Amino acid sequence: MPTIRDSLGATLTQAQWINNAYMLPLSALILAGGALGDRFGLARIFTIGIIIFIAASLISAAAPTPDILIAARALKGIGAALMVPGSMALIYRAYPPDERGRALGIWAAASALTTALGPILGGVIITAAGPETWRWLFAVNLPLGLIAIWLLQGAVEEDRGKPGAGIDWQGAVLITAALGLMAWGLTGMSDGGVNLALLLTLAALCLALFLVWEARSAHPMMPLRLFANATFSAANVATFCLYFGLSAVLFFLPMTVITAWGVTEAEASAAFVPL
């Protein structure tokens, strides 16, 4: 992020939106992405998600301004929302019962490994090869995505959807508005350019309408009855607290140690290995 800010001349608020623009559509639309996979076919929606993700990654790599990078990151979030829900379901479909446990274990291990190695490799590459190599960290998604599509076409023999499966478009719009207004208000606090009280009030209104709609919808994207399960609710509270802390630390602290303290990107990445 410090390298991107220097390269594009991005303000702190724009840097926050480079991060927010990906997370918002991913978190708001991930459940709708699962419903789309059920209706139109898991592999089909997964492939469309990869294509969107690749295209957005290439736009990110070539972005000449912070605003274009923010828009590309939002598009990446939409692609990811189509990909993530179908990944485990595709594994479940592609492997016989006696092999699923091993396949899901490999899937989980690969996800954990790449999540940990991504920032470390990024820091090492930028330190060794120069600041403008941040663009290649986006462009690498092109060959990886094409390989994924090729493998997917060979692994899934049939991809039947369920034409009658409902998609909660109203819920998706309401929760996207709620999260977007909330992020807009809280992010804008740093430069004083927004009416915080108004935006948070509108966000709360959209969130309340979302909950009312989910309670009444025939095909809710977030069935509220799930929260009657104490284990499920506790796991969600724990996850919220974990990612609240991690998101703040992993966004602000690297910028502080690299920009203000003069630590290299590789050293900063190494410091975060335990996390």
Side-chain angles (χ1 to χ4, degrees), residues 12-14 16-17 20 182-191 194:
L12 176 60
T13 298
Q14 288 173 320
Q16 289 174 292
W17 275 108
N20 290 348
M182 193 182 305
W184 185 12
L186 295 174
T187 303
M189 287 174 63
S190 60
D191 56 20
V194 301

Side-chain angles (χ1 to χ4, degrees), residues 137-159:
L137 302 181
F138 286 107
V140 72
N141 287 329
L142 174 61
L144 294 177
L146 293 176
I147 291 171
I149 292 173
W150 175 67
L151 291 172
L152 188 65
Q153 299 307 310
V156 181
E157 295 180 358
E158 61 175 339
D159 189 31

Side-chain angles (χ1 to χ4, degrees), residues 30-117:
I30 190 168
L31 295 175
L36 285 169
D38 289 338
R39 182 165 182 175
F40 298 107
L42 291 171
R44 186 175 295 110
I45 295 300
F46 192 85
T47 301
I48 292 172
I50 294 175
I51 293 171
I52 294 173
F53 196 88
I54 291 173
S57 295
L58 294 179
I59 297 172
S60 298
T65 67
D67 290 339
I68 291 177
L69 180 56
I70 290 168
R73 290 279 289 167
L75 187 61
K76 277 185 71 177
I78 294 172
L82 297 179
M83 291 163 54
V84 173
S87 58
M88 187 179 294
L90 282 168
I91 292 173
Y92 187 86
R93 176 180 293 182
Y95 289 87
D98 58 335
E99 296 182 18
R100 283 177 192 156
R102 179 173 174 269
L104 289 171
I106 293 172
W107 172 83
S111 177
L113 185 64
T114 52
T115 300
L117 283 179

